[in-house]
Amino acid sequence: MEATIEVSRLRKRFGPVVALDGMSFTVPPGQVTGFVGPNGAGKSTTMRVILGLDAPDEGSALIGGRLYRSLRRPLSHVGSLLDAAALQPSRSARSHLLWLAHSQGLTARRVDEVIEQAGLQGAVRRKAGGYSLGMRQRLGIAAAMLGDPPVLLFDEPFNGMDPEGIVWMRGFLRSLAGQGRAVLVSSHLMSELQDAADRLVVVGRGAVIADTGVADLITAASGGRVTLRTDARTEAMTVLAHAGATVTVTGRDTLTVSGLPAERVVAALGESAVPFSEVSALRATLEEAYMELTRDAVEFRASAIAGSEEAGR
Amino acid sequence: MTTGTITPYRSTLETGRDGFPQLLRAEWTKFRSVRGWVIGMVIAALVMVLLGLFAAGNGSIGCNSGPGTPTRTGRACVPPIPLGPDGRAVTDSFYFVHQPLTGNGSITARLTSMTGRYGTGGFPGGQGPSLPYRGLQPWSKAGVIIKQSIKPGSAYAAVMLTGSHGVRMQYDYTQDIAGPAGAVSAASPRWLRLTRSGNSITAYESADGTHWARVGAAHLAGLPATVQAGVFVTSPQHTVTTQSIGGRTSSTGGPSLATAVFDRVSLVGARSSGGWAGDNVGAGNSALLGGFRQAGGVFTVRGSGDVAPALPDRVGGSFPSATIEQHLVGAFAGLIVMAVVAAMFITAEYRRGLIRLTLAASPRRSRVLAAKALVIGSVTFVAGLAAAIIAVTIGVRLARAKGFYVFPVTALTEVRVVAGTAALLAVAAVLALAVGVILRRSAAAVAVVTVAIVLPYVLAVASVLPAGAADWLLRLTPAAGFAIQQSLHAYAQVAASYTPTAGYFPLAPWAGFAVLCGYAAAAVGVALLLLRRRDA
């Protein structure tokens, strides 16, 4: 129970803006839980509520069954990175970690350990204000790891990272989960979580839209569709429509077929001797699955409220 | 990928201690690791010291004995300042008609008339002051006195009638006991008597010379066997305080002279054979001298001056002097710089969002504010204390070297003034921190603190405002805390300009400091409430 986050029925308004509207999910240990949704969906607000920084109007967020505010030495229970820019620019990176360590009764030796873990050796005597966003993210990761916590929260940790950093971050997140930690990672870009997250909590308008494994989500989004590549486009459409499929033209020589499994598409085309060069089951990207799920939330945001995220900051 | 197969992570890290000392250490690490803040505190201390020393170094004393003679400076120009029995500077100038008195005895006199004249400072014709106006000064004095010797500053006890404060017993310059009110005339004379018994002197007053009422008693330690006893008259500088339309307060004045008529003067006890002698005690080179006439047992005595503690801003009685707190005038400037650092100690966290990390690390928010207040308060106190000690030590030495009389203070008062200044800065810093929490903007917080503390102080002491308004500012605003710097004592029995400009605060030192603390406590209270209620 220690290494779980339980968010239940959180509601919170910022003035007229509903930031959280019944947000509920659980972050289990040993997994990377992706926390995705468009900007303004309530991800950051939820994280602040989990950390006891914002008070919810209703509902609760518990760490291992306890409120964050009741934790002693909280950084040894929960490590977090909310905003990589949240540092005093004129303070050195090492001093930044040092005061944080002191607040938890930890020593300078632990500071050096996390510096190494985050790959920041050699740069820690410099003022943090001179750090690139990517380096600040690493510094934030180091801060989150100070107390060696079983629960970790990262808000948009991929922001500002170069491709090499993104790969490092994915591996890092995976290794944390592999150690049995509960890891919650928010992102507004699904692609960043590809290959990193085991589970996805998709949110929009302050509530959970989907809470599912990554594989399940992709399967669902693929919807049994088949991609067909053929020079005889018209004939193929006629044959397949006759066989009961819905066919859409997606390119000069490609069609997308739904309502008919791939093997039956092949059989139908074979019976009518329609030539084709490729038939494959379409596999949706995570991005597409996500777009599908959050379309409503995005529309809502575009039409009505453009500022819940800002109001929440 | 089900939780059942996962072993939740358990840290092998040795858990640290979680308590207020850890939080204090964290906040101290925060403070010392921002070089700008440390430099800011050093600058604040330097500003304090330099302004204080400038105040001391700025003054100079010079005098010229006449054409062709070299200008002399410093001590050579200043007549020696009499020191009272307790070593403090006093004013001791009066006309004394006296005889020696050995052992126990008494002096009695009947006062039948007391009149005065005063001028506005003109000395027409260079022949001495002109005294065109009739009237006594409130603290003109005529009565009987027993004094150790005619040396200015020696111990004494006297019972006297004053210009408008009735009968008083006064002794050793600072002590004052009120007797019956009222004036004197030929129809209703005043009998005054002092009796000596050992080192005790008791004062009596009577309307008829038969029924005596005790006014008070004094114990004058170390009084010699033979003392001087007799009648005396003196009259302090006439002062008029005017307030112009612009609010500026100015004092003008001139010399005054009191004339008293005594009869039935009797000295009882072992006396020498000589008669009455008259002396201008402590007249120095004053242009206005007293004198006396004796005819048929009636003494007509004229005198000018005062017998009182010396004050720095006494019009007419002024002499080149300095107070220890004059070297701490830079405190207000240091305070502004320190308030900037103190406000930024929290507002920088709000600005960068760092406050979230702070509160995530220490969810008990009141403790965070307490730790921050303690750290910034201590840092400010130490910086302020160092600056105050340096400024006062060097400043006093400089002032003395230049010939200024530095008003002595007791060790306890010096500690109160110096450490109190540091405490004033520390409390102001905590106030700035609290306002920083409330407003979350450094510029706004610094503006509030400056307007609340420094502006009223500067307005009040720079004599921009009428004295009454200045007094109210220093009672009601946090600037009242500057009262902790006052080392001077205000005497009810000495007419002087007890204004903030002259270094006198309307509230007692600790009372003024308490006002500032009250504001700081209120701000901390509001800050705590908001810090706990608001989303971070």
Side-chain angles (χ1 to χ4, degrees):
Chain A
M1 282 305 283
E2 167 88 345
T4 55
I5 305 172
E6 295 157 279
V7 173
S8 48
R9 295 184 303 281
L10 289 183
R11 287 182 193 279
K12 184 165 181 66
R13 301 176 72 96
F14 293 107
V17 179
V18 178
L20 299 179
D21 191 11
M23 181 77 76
S24 294
F25 62 90
T26 303
V27 181
Q31 292 189 13
V32 175
T33 301
F35 194 30
V36 291
N39 287 330
K43 302 188 297 294
S44 294
T45 306
T46 303
M47 288 192 158
R48 286 201 303 273
V49 170
I50 293 171
L51 294 174
L53 297 171
D54 284 14
D57 299 337
E58 278 176 50
S60 67
L62 301 178
I63 311 282
R66 293 171 66 187
L67 279 173
Y68 187 91
R69 284 196 190 203
S70 73
L71 299 174
R72 292 174 73 82
R73 292 182 306 276
L75 298 194
S76 61
H77 297 270
V78 185
S80 60
L81 168 56
L82 287 193
D83 178 6
L87 30 81
Q88 178 70 27
S90 48
R91 191 178 281 137
S92 77
R94 191 168 188 282
S95 295
H96 175 76
L97 294 172
L98 198 59
W99 75 253
L100 205 55
H102 285 162
S103 76
Q104 308 295 302
L106 297 167
T107 61
R109 212 183 57 198
R110 179 63 191 158
V111 169
D112 295 332
E113 285 170 19
V114 294
I115 285 169
E116 198 171 327
Q117 196 174 4
L120 278 173
Q121 310 94 309
V124 287
R125 301 274 168 193
R126 277 167 46 197
K127 287 182 177 177
Y131 273 28
S132 67
L133 183 51
M135 283 177 81
R136 288 179 189 205
Q137 294 284 17
R138 285 173 186 261
L139 179 55
I141 298 284
M145 294 310 296
L146 260 183
D148 194 23
V151 176
L152 287 148
L153 268 70
F154 300 115
D155 197 4
E156 304 277 358
F158 297 98
N159 270 7
M161 283 207 158
D162 54 20
E164 192 189 342
I166 290 173
V167 171
W168 173 83
M169 178 66 82
R170 282 185 184 145
F172 180 68
L173 295 175
R174 292 246 43 89
S175 73
L176 293 177
Q179 291 163 343
R181 304 187 213 238
V183 185
L184 182 66
V185 185
S186 84
S187 176
H188 66 287
L189 295 176
M190 197 71 143
S191 56
E192 292 172 343
L193 292 174
Q194 197 126 29
D195 310 325
D198 305 295
R199 265 178 74 253
L200 288 177
V201 174
V202 183
V203 295
R205 299 191 203 182
V208 174
I209 298 170
D211 184 348
T212 172
V214 170
D216 300 341
L217 187 67
I218 289 172
T219 309
S222 305
R225 285 174 296 173
V226 173
T227 301
L228 171 65
R229 194 180 292 271
T230 173
D231 291 332
R233 211 170 61 182
T234 321
E235 293 89 328
M237 283 176 77
T238 316
V239 168
L240 292 174
H242 193 71
T246 313
V247 186
T248 10
V249 179
T250 48
R252 197 171 50 78
D253 57 353
T254 53
L255 300 170
T256 295
V257 185
S258 53
L260 211 58
E263 56 273 22
R264 287 197 51 201
V265 170
V266 173
L269 293 175
E271 281 167 19
S272 309
V274 177
F276 62 91
S277 54
E278 182 191 344
V279 174
S280 59
L282 185 143
R283 187 174 158 79
T285 62
L286 205 48
E287 204 74 57
E288 288 169 320
Y290 165 68
M291 294 297 278
E292 185 83 11
L293 280 167
T294 58
R295 191 180 299 133
D296 290 349
V298 173
E299 280 167 4
F300 172 76
R301 178 178 156 79
S303 61
I305 292 143
S308 74
E309 189 85 352
E310 285 75 8
R313 284 186 191 269
Chain B
M1 222 179 273
T2 52
T3 45
T5 63
I6 302 283
T7 312
Y9 183 74
R10 286 217 174 272
S11 172
T12 53
L13 195 65
E14 201 177 314
T15 52
R17 289 178 61 82
D18 161 60
F20 192 64
Q22 280 67 41
L23 199 48
L24 266 185
R25 191 170 177 212
E27 291 299 333
W28 165 241
T29 305
K30 268 187 198 173
F31 179 83
R32 68 176 171 80
S33 59
V34 175
R35 198 181 301 161
W37 297 347
V38 177
I39 292 172
M41 280 293 169
V42 172
I43 287 175
L46 279 177
V47 164
M48 257 181 84
V49 170
L50 292 177
L51 273 180
L53 294 187
F54 179 75
N58 204 24
S60 67
I61 304 166
C63 53
N64 218 324
S65 313
T69 59
T71 301
R72 293 174 302 162
T73 57
R75 230 167 258 189
C77 300
V78 186
I81 296 153
L83 302 179
D86 60 355
R88 290 157 179 267
V90 296
T91 303
D92 196 11
S93 79
F94 61 100
Y95 197 83
F96 192 12
V97 180
H98 58 96
Q99 285 196 40
L101 170 68
T102 304
N104 295 339
S106 74
I107 170 84
T108 306
R110 186 172 77 161
L111 178 65
T112 56
S113 156
M114 189 177 174
T115 55
R117 300 187 67 85
Y118 63 94
T120 49
F123 284 71
Q127 291 302 308
S130 91
L131 304 170
Y133 309 110
R134 291 178 180 281
L136 283 167
Q137 302 311 308
W139 286 102
S140 295
K141 297 163 185 175
V144 297
I145 183 168
I146 290 177
K147 190 167 167 67
Q148 183 178 347
S149 71
I150 61 165
K151 186 174 160 282
S154 61
Y156 76 94
V159 59
M160 68 204 74
L161 185 71
T162 58
S164 55
H165 296 281
V167 172
R168 322 289 290 197
M169 181 192 187
Q170 294 188 351
Y171 60 98
D172 281 358
Y173 305 94
T174 56
Q175 305 302 313
D176 177 51
I177 301 165
V184 68
S185 68
S188 62
R190 290 274 185 176
W191 291 77
L192 301 167
R193 172 179 288 169
L194 286 175
T195 64
R196 175 182 183 188
S197 173
N199 284 349
S200 286
I201 294 176
T202 311
Y204 300 92
E205 179 267 353
S206 168
D208 54 13
T210 313
H211 302 93
W212 290 90
R214 186 177 175 276
V215 179
H219 182 84
L220 305 184
L223 203 62
T226 300
V227 295
Q228 298 295 323
V231 296
F232 80 104
V233 174
T234 193
S235 185
Q237 184 88 356
H238 156 75
T239 59
V240 181
T241 302
T242 47
Q243 237 156 56
S244 66
I245 305 295
R248 190 168 280 271
T249 306
S250 62
S251 290
T252 56
S256 76
L257 190 72
T259 304
V261 179
F262 300 95
D263 59 9
R264 314 275 187 95
V265 179
S266 71
L267 188 60
V268 178
R271 45 189 290 201
S272 63
S273 50
W276 294 102
D279 273 296
N280 272 296
V281 175
N285 49 9
S286 163
L288 193 60
L289 294 176
F292 92 105
R293 226 172 43 238
Q294 186 187 0
V298 176
F299 293 72
T300 305
V301 186
R302 304 188 312 277
S304 177
D306 205 357
V307 184
L311 300 178
D313 196 48
R314 280 196 73 189
V315 178
S318 65
F319 53 96
S321 68
T323 58
I324 59 165
E325 66 262 36
Q326 273 173 7
H327 309 294
L328 296 173
V329 288
F332 81 92
L335 189 149
I336 296 175
V337 180
M338 286 167 172
V340 170
V341 176
M344 284 181 74
F345 194 40
I346 183 73
T347 53
E349 294 205 15
Y350 279 111
R351 183 167 168 212
R352 313 278 173 192
L354 187 57
I355 187 73
R356 299 211 180 98
L357 189 54
T358 298
L359 295 182
S362 312
R364 281 177 275 187
R365 299 183 178 185
S366 309
R367 283 175 155 220
V368 172
L369 186 59
K372 274 195 182 294
L374 209 54
V375 166
I376 199 68
S378 306
V379 167
T380 313
F381 184 85
V382 169
L385 190 64
I389 289 173
I390 294 169
V392 167
T393 309
I394 299 180
V396 164
R397 215 164 275 181
L398 273 179
R400 286 208 177 111
K402 289 182 166 215
F404 285 87
Y405 172 76
V406 179
F407 277 91
V409 290
T410 62
L412 208 62
T413 303
E414 184 157 5
V415 168
R416 190 252 295 160
V417 170
V418 171
T421 299
L424 159 78
L425 295 168
V427 173
V430 171
L431 178 62
L433 177 78
V435 174
V437 172
I438 295 166
L439 300 178
R440 303 200 258 197
R441 299 265 188 289
S442 33
V446 172
V448 165
V449 169
T450 306
V451 168
I453 305 181
V454 178
L455 186 65
Y457 169 74
V458 170
L459 285 179
V461 301
S463 81
V464 176
L465 292 175
D471 277 353
W472 278 110
L473 276 183
L474 293 177
R475 278 191 192 103
L476 298 178
T477 69
F482 279 95
I484 199 84
Q485 293 189 327
Q486 181 182 327
S487 74
L488 297 168
H489 185 64
Y491 297 92
Q493 77 272 27
V494 184
S497 173
Y498 295 119
T499 59
T501 313
Y504 293 92
F505 288 82
L507 292 179
W510 290 108
F513 187 66
V515 171
L516 173 65
C517 289
Y519 276 98
V524 168
V526 173
L528 275 178
L529 196 72
L530 289 176
L531 188 62
R532 294 171 70 155
R533 275 212 189 147
R534 282 196 299 219
D535 290 337

